[in-house]
């Protein structure tokens, strides 16, 4: 069949697609850049770390409750960690445990579906998928002008997954998932290698070529748009939105091209970890890259999905590989054997140990403004309390001392408190005075965030 006048040239399309894959999918690029490379005050950073499948919650009266309940015993400042969160004991002054929060539209969902809404508060009820922008992207919209990249979206599996089983925490203003990245060496070379692994002259030439490719595909798409059916138009619109954001990132890269990176050492980072052999090394290498991103100030907004919901992806086998348990994470959460709570609690403890490592690195790594953790607000948690119960999210808020955050307590909020209220308070703490987010009813009723 002959080539129609409105067909996109296959070579052009693949080149354009290559640009889309080569650069991160970017939203909120429209804000004007600040004076490139200038730093006048301590940066405020925002970070989200997620784990799937809920947590072990032995009921009161069960012998395992005092030992393996994820939430601490007692409340306020005098709470006591169980074995589960014991790895966080040394960070007590830098963290707050939060209980009771959840997203109203997700409370009756099968718990795994709620993972899509952890940072959005979106509506997945019914047959329509009505997700919305994630809170990290709201922050990126306001903070992108300060850094080389608006955000960094990482996961253990990479990509977007699929509806109700996503492999990313980040969603654009239209509620579409933003692909996450997971190949450590590629991440390092893309974000940290000088000039992207090329000399400045070669990098400038490469950027010019990328821009030409994007312009060519954008031009071809105009004549194509009027000849497509409704479904194809929607798919093309999604693709062109991606290309537009790539074009903005190319412009951003050009502006930062001659600004030297801060000096750093990456000798301690394993850039070739294997999630199917050593999950601890894999996760900690991801955290190391995030800390390096903070240290060099390439971005101030980050998300990391440690594993996917419902037994999907590499994370399902982490309990087997890390602890020698003969079940996967999702399988453990459904198990009813005698040692069920100990196994689940032990794995929850292992996850907390990895998060503790992240906090350690932020406390011992400094930039010109002091320890990274003091200017970084971090939320660690899951979208359900137990396997399929999307209420009472297990949450740990950490860092942000220089932003006025006051830690050291375990607070149980009312079971009807919207988690989006926490996001509004976090954004305010970051200096982003939004009036609302998703289904929020105001700021969170707490003294932790002021």
């Amino acid at each position: 069949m002959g080539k129609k006048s409105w067909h996109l040239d296959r070579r052009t399309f693949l080149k354009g697609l290559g640009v889309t894959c080569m650069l991160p999918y970017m939203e909120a690029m429209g804000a004007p850049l600040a004076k490139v490379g200038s730093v006048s005050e301590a940066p405020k950073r925002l970070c989200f770390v997620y784990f799937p499948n809920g947590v072990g919650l032995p009921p009161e009266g069960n012998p395992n409750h005092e030992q393996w309940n994820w939430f601490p015993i007692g409340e306020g400042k005098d709470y006591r960690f169980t074995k589960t969160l014991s790895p966080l004991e040394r960070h007590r002054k830098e963290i707050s445990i939060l209980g009771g929060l959840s997203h109203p539209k997700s409370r009756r969902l099968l718990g795994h579906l709620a993972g899509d809404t952890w940072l959005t508060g979106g509506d997945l009820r019914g047959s329509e998928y009505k997700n919305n922008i994630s809170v990290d992207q709201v922050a990126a919209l306001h903070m992108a002008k300060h850094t080389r990249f608006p955000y960094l979206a990482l996961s253990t599996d990479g990509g977007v997954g699929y509806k109700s089983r996503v492999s990313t925490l980040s969603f654009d203003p239209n509620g579409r998932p933003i692909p996450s990245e997971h190949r450590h060496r590629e991440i390092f070379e893309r974000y940290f290698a000088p000039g992207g692994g090329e000399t400045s002259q070669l990098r400038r030439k490469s950027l010019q070529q990328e821009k030409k490719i994007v312009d060519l595909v954008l031009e071809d798409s105009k004549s194509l748009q009027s000849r497509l059916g409704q479904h194809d138009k929607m798919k093309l619109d999604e693709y062109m939105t991606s290309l537009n954001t790539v074009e903005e990132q190319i412009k951003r890269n050009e502006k930062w091209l001659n600004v030297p990176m801060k000096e750093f050492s990456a000798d301690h980072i394993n850039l070739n970890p294997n999630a199917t052999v050593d999950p601890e090394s894999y996760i900690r290498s991801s955290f190391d890259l995030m800390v390096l991103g903070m240290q060099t100030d390439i971005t101030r907004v980050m998300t990391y999905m440690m594993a996917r919901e419902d037994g999907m992806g590499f994370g399902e086998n982490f309990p087997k590989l890390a602890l020698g348990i003969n079940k996967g994470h999702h399988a453990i959460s459904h198990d009813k054997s005698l040692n069920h709570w100990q196994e689940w609690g032990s794995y929850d403890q292992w996850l907390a140990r990895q998060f503790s490592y992240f906090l350690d690195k932020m406390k011992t790594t400094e930039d010109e403004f002091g320890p990274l953790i003091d200017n970084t607000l971090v939320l660690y948690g899951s979208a359900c309390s137990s396997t399929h119960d999307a209420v009472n999210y297990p949450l740990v808020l950490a860092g942000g001392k220089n932003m006025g955050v006051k830690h050291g307590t375990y607070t149980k909020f009312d079971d009807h408190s919207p988690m989006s209220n926490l996001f509004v308070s976090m954004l305010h703490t970051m200096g982003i005075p939004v009036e609302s987010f998703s289904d929020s009813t105001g700021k969170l009723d707490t003294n932790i965030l002021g």
Side-chain angles (χ1 to χ4, degrees):
M1 183 172 63
K3 179 177 178 291
K4 301 293 185 182
S5 61
W6 49 268
H7 277 163
L8 274 175
D9 180 80
R10 178 171 175 79
R11 182 180 299 275
T12 300
F13 180 84
L14 290 176
K15 283 184 178 180
L17 183 59
V19 173
T20 305
C21 294
M22 184 177 65
L23 293 173
Y25 178 81
M26 297 293 175
E27 285 294 340
M29 300 291 194
L33 291 175
K35 184 178 180 182
V36 174
S38 65
V39 179
S40 59
E41 59 183 20
K44 294 180 179 180
R45 294 176 290 261
L46 187 61
C47 182
F48 297 93
V49 180
Y50 182 84
F51 60 89
N53 299 324
V55 295
L57 297 174
E60 291 188 32
N62 186 293
N64 291 291
H65 179 77
E66 296 272 331
Q67 298 294 319
W68 293 111
N69 196 59
W70 191 93
F71 288 105
I73 307 301
E75 294 183 60
K77 290 189 175 183
D78 297 325
Y79 73 87
R80 175 177 63 82
F81 283 116
T82 67
K83 290 182 179 180
T84 303
L85 291 187
S86 59
L88 299 180
E89 181 70 59
R90 64 179 177 274
H91 304 297
R92 193 180 183 103
K93 293 181 180 179
E94 291 86 23
I95 65 172
S96 299
I97 315 297
L98 311 178
L101 300 178
S102 61
H103 291 308
K105 295 184 181 70
S106 296
R107 288 171 185 160
R108 295 187 179 181
L109 290 175
L110 179 70
H112 299 306
L113 278 69
D116 289 38
T117 72
W118 193 61
L119 294 188
T120 69
D123 191 357
L124 271 64
R125 300 171 300 179
S127 58
E128 292 188 51
Y129 189 88
K130 298 178 181 178
N131 219 340
N132 48 262
I133 190 171
S134 53
V135 64
D136 63 299
Q137 294 301 298
V138 173
L141 174 64
H142 288 265
M143 300 167 67
K145 60 186 178 182
H146 299 296
T147 56
R148 295 174 188 268
F149 300 96
Y151 63 88
L152 185 61
L154 303 182
S155 75
T156 293
D157 293 282
V160 298
Y162 57 90
K163 294 177 182 180
S164 82
R165 300 295 189 276
V166 292
S167 56
T168 180
L169 298 176
S170 301
F171 290 78
D172 71 18
N174 295 311
R176 292 192 289 255
I178 296 173
S180 61
E181 300 181 77
H182 71 301
R183 294 184 176 91
H184 296 74
R185 181 166 294 281
E186 291 181 12
I187 293 168
F188 178 80
E189 291 177 353
R190 178 177 299 168
Y191 294 98
F192 301 104
E198 304 170 271
T199 65
S200 178
Q201 184 176 0
L202 286 175
R203 183 57 178 151
R204 188 180 302 278
K205 184 177 180 181
S206 176
L207 286 171
Q208 290 173 349
Q209 181 64 22
E210 290 166 5
K211 187 175 181 180
K212 288 179 181 177
I213 293 171
V214 173
D215 288 343
L216 181 60
V217 178
L218 287 172
E219 183 178 345
D220 285 350
S221 71
K222 293 177 183 178
S223 60
L224 178 63
Q225 183 76 29
S226 61
R227 301 168 184 260
L228 296 178
Q230 189 62 34
H231 178 72
D232 282 342
K233 283 183 178 180
M234 290 176 60
K235 298 301 293 183
L236 181 63
D237 179 63
E238 290 182 11
Y239 179 68
M240 300 320 297
T241 298
S242 175
L243 280 182
N244 282 323
T245 54
V246 168
E247 186 176 38
E248 291 297 332
Q249 183 59 38
I250 291 172
K251 294 176 182 178
R252 177 184 295 273
N253 289 346
E254 288 177 328
K255 291 185 178 183
W256 282 91
L257 189 61
N258 295 322
V259 179
M261 286 276 291
K262 290 184 178 182
E263 292 186 6
F264 65 88
S265 172
D267 294 344
H268 63 290
I269 303 178
N270 179 5
L271 296 178
N272 298 293
N274 190 333
T276 65
V277 176
D278 186 357
E280 181 167 279
S281 177
Y282 189 91
I283 288 175
R284 293 189 176 192
S285 293
S286 299
F287 284 139
D288 287 340
L289 287 171
M290 293 167 72
V291 170
L292 185 60
M294 298 175 192
Q295 187 180 12
T296 56
D297 200 29
I298 63 163
T299 187
R300 298 178 185 177
V301 180
M302 303 184 191
T303 58
Y304 179 38
M305 180 178 253
M306 299 172 77
R308 291 174 66 186
E309 292 286 346
D310 200 21
M312 301 285 178
F314 294 121
E316 175 64 6
N317 290 322
F318 285 176
K320 301 177 183 178
L321 297 166
L323 301 175
I325 298 174
N326 64 355
K327 307 180 190 73
H329 187 196
H330 182 244
I332 289 173
S333 71
H334 279 281
D335 188 39
K336 301 299 179 184
S337 61
L338 291 176
N339 60 346
H340 165 60
W341 295 119
Q342 292 96 322
E343 287 183 339
W344 199 348
S346 295
Y347 185 62
D348 287 342
Q349 181 190 69
W350 183 84
L351 289 171
R353 194 177 302 128
Q354 310 318 310
F355 182 60
S356 182
Y357 171 86
F358 185 40
L359 298 182
D360 280 330
K361 296 293 289 187
M362 285 192 289
K363 288 167 74 171
T364 58
T365 305
E366 298 187 5
D367 59 11
E368 59 266 44
F369 302 102
L372 297 177
I373 195 171
D374 292 342
N375 293 305
T376 306
L377 196 58
V378 185
L379 186 67
Y380 168 79
S382 187
C384 45
S385 53
S386 58
T387 312
H388 291 157
D389 201 359
V391 297
N392 190 27
Y393 296 170
L395 301 170
V396 179
L397 187 69
K401 183 180 73 172
N402 290 347
M403 302 180 215
V405 182
K406 300 175 179 64
H407 287 302
T409 58
Y410 165 39
T411 306
K412 295 180 181 179
F413 293 92
D414 183 276
D415 287 343
H416 297 289
S417 297
M419 185 172 169
S420 291
N421 286 7
L422 170 62
F423 294 154
V424 171
S425 292
M426 292 175 71
L427 290 172
H428 277 247
T429 299
M430 296 290 297
I432 304 171
V434 297
E435 293 184 5
S436 62
F437 175 80
S438 189
D439 54 3
S440 66
T441 58
K443 294 168 65 176
L444 189 66
D445 185 16
T446 177
N447 294 323
I448 299 171
L449 293 162

